[in-house]
């Protein structure tokens, strides 16, 4: 019975994720024109804020129920698999140009956050309330800088289409579909994981994280197929930064203090840095998402999954 319910939940989640991703892409495009913002900024701020909702809600739910390790695993795992899966799939689909010049700076910022997380956790073997305050402080700064840099870089909309009501409503409804779909996906994954006796950290790092990455992947791939590559790439980086600042900060404040092992950090956080570094190099060298880059990203994701699984089984 559990298996049948899990399969039904999985099918339902895929339908909701498809509908939600399509709605968000169209809404984001209209918002970019109406607000006269660069599309990459709309992807980095608005779309990423919506698609990071699954990580936020699932991590906070896990933290409230005492599963702090599952919440931390979800945060780290999402940041590991988000970039390589999205860039990898887009690279296999075709060649896409990276037009936004600020992506490189955002990659450096993301690598700095991951490095800071690794240093603090290795030095203390804990995630404490003051860790949450530090990372939470970066969130409003990131949002402010992103909007300020992108203001006025977009294409002005026709005056008769200046209303924000329809695109905002479409994005909210799309986000609701993504959240509902993600919870169905996580539910099915967790039910199956319990049958195999997986640890909380591993379940959050792989099953829950991969479930939460599905919305970003769906939105980014849909955006790329609609010719909105700037929204696609902006969503990838923005979601990771929001997860590493807002979500991690709130989880740390809720739990106040919980321990982490050196092995958990050393086998996971370096992959966060690696995938972001590859994206940074890609934006500097080719300014394109190509098949070789896509294959490299997917290889990193597979390697991360194998290493994490091997450490868990061992």
């Amino acid at each position: 019975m559990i298996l049948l319910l899990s399969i039904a939940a999985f099918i339902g989640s895929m339908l909701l994720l498809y509908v939600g991703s399509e709605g968000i892409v169209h809404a984001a495009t209209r918002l970019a024109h109406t607000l006269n913002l660069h599309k990459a900024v709309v992807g980095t701020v608005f779309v990423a804020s919506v698609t990071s909702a699954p990580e936020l809600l699932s991590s906070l739910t896990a933290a409230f129920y005492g599963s702090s390790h599952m919440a931390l695993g979800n945060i780290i795992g999402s940041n590991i698999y988000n970039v390589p899966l999205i860039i990898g799939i887009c690279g296999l689909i075709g060649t896409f140009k990276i037009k936004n010049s600020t992506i490189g700076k955002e990659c450096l910022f993301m690598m700095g956050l991951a490095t800071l997380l690794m240093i603090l956790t290795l030095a203390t073997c804990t995630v404490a309330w003051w860790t949450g305050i530090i990372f939470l402080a970066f969130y409003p700064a990131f949002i402010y800088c992103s909007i300020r840099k992108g203001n006025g870089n977009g294409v002005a909309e026709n005056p008769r289409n200046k209303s924000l009501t329809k695109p905002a409503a479409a994005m909210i409804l799309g986000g609701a579909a993504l959240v509902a779909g993600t919870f169905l996906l996580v539910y099915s994954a967790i039910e199956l994981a319990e049958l195999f006796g997986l640890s909380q950290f591993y379940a959050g790092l792989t099953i829950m994280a991969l479930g939460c990455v599905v919305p970003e992947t769906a939105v980014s791939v849909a955006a790329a197929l609609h010719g909105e590559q700037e929204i696609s790439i902006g969503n990838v980086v923005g979601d990771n930064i929001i997860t590493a600042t807002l979500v991690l900060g709130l989880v740390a404040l809720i739990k106040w203090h919980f321990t982490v092992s050196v092995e958990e950090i050393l086998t996971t956080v370096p992959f966060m840095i690696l995938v972001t570094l590859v994206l940074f190099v890609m934006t500097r060298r080719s300014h394109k998402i190509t098949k070789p880059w896509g294959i490299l990203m997917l290889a990193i994701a597979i390697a991360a999954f194998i290493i994490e699984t091997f450490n868990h089984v061992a």
Side-chain angles (χ1 to χ4, degrees):
M1 181 58 106
I2 294 178
L3 180 61
L4 292 177
L5 288 175
S6 299
I7 293 174
F10 178 79
I11 295 173
S13 70
M14 291 297 103
L15 293 174
L16 286 170
L17 291 171
Y18 173 77
V19 173
S21 63
E22 286 290 315
I24 285 180
V25 170
H26 292 298
T29 304
R30 291 196 295 269
L31 277 175
H33 287 290
T34 305
L35 297 176
N36 193 28
L37 289 173
H38 198 288
K39 289 182 180 179
V41 176
V42 174
T44 302
V45 178
F46 293 99
V47 178
S49 294
V50 174
T51 58
S52 63
E55 285 98 330
L56 176 63
L57 294 178
S58 59
S59 294
L60 291 182
T61 300
F64 273 120
Y65 280 94
S67 301
S68 55
H69 276 76
M70 181 176 288
L72 180 62
N74 183 32
I75 292 168
I76 295 175
S78 296
N79 276 18
I80 290 175
Y81 296 113
N82 192 15
V83 171
L85 288 181
I86 292 172
I87 299 299
I89 293 174
C90 287
L92 294 181
I93 292 174
T95 300
F96 300 100
K97 292 183 179 180
I98 302 176
K99 301 177 183 178
N100 183 23
S101 59
T102 64
I103 293 296
K105 295 179 181 178
E106 290 164 356
C107 286
L108 292 176
F109 181 53
M110 185 61 233
M111 283 189 286
L113 290 173
T115 303
L116 179 61
L117 173 62
M118 186 165 63
I119 292 173
L120 292 178
T121 50
L122 288 178
T124 63
C125 290
T126 61
V127 176
W129 61 270
W130 52 267
T131 309
I133 291 177
I134 291 174
F135 283 91
L136 200 58
F138 286 113
Y139 174 69
F142 164 69
I143 297 297
Y144 173 77
C145 291
S146 296
I147 294 178
R148 184 177 180 182
K149 289 179 181 178
N151 191 28
N153 293 330
V155 179
E157 178 64 276
N158 190 308
R160 64 182 180 180
N161 295 323
K162 280 291 185 179
S163 175
L164 296 176
T165 304
K166 289 184 178 180
M171 183 165 287
I172 292 173
L173 290 175
L178 288 179
V179 172
T182 299
F183 272 114
L184 281 177
L185 183 61
V186 171
Y187 163 78
S188 63
I190 294 300
E191 287 296 324
L192 292 173
E194 289 181 352
L195 295 176
F196 296 95
L198 301 177
S199 68
Q200 287 190 0
F201 184 77
Y202 179 78
L205 184 67
T206 55
I207 299 173
M208 184 179 289
L210 288 171
C212 290
V213 165
V214 169
E216 289 91 73
T217 305
V219 170
S220 292
V221 172
L225 292 175
H226 283 84
E228 303 294 350
Q229 294 92 339
E230 293 165 289
I231 291 178
S232 178
I233 302 300
N235 176 47
V236 174
V237 181
D239 183 271
N240 274 14
I241 293 176
I242 291 173
T243 301
T245 55
L246 177 64
V247 181
L248 177 60
L250 290 177
V251 168
L253 289 177
I254 290 173
K255 290 307 298 178
W256 200 251
H257 181 278
F258 62 92
T259 60
V260 293
S261 70
V262 172
E263 183 181 12
E264 288 174 341
I265 299 302
L266 289 181
T267 58
T268 56
V269 178
F271 279 107
M272 290 174 56
I273 301 173
L274 177 60
V275 295
T276 312
L277 177 61
V278 173
L279 179 59
F280 173 76
V281 173
M282 184 172 60
T283 60
R284 292 300 181 183
R285 293 192 62 181
S286 63
H287 301 284
K288 292 179 181 179
I289 300 175
T290 59
K291 184 173 289 185
W293 285 114
I295 293 174
L296 175 60
M297 283 291 198
L298 290 175
I300 294 174
I302 294 172
F305 182 83
I306 292 174
I307 291 174
E308 290 153 8
T309 302
F310 175 80
N311 287 332
H312 171 76
V313 173

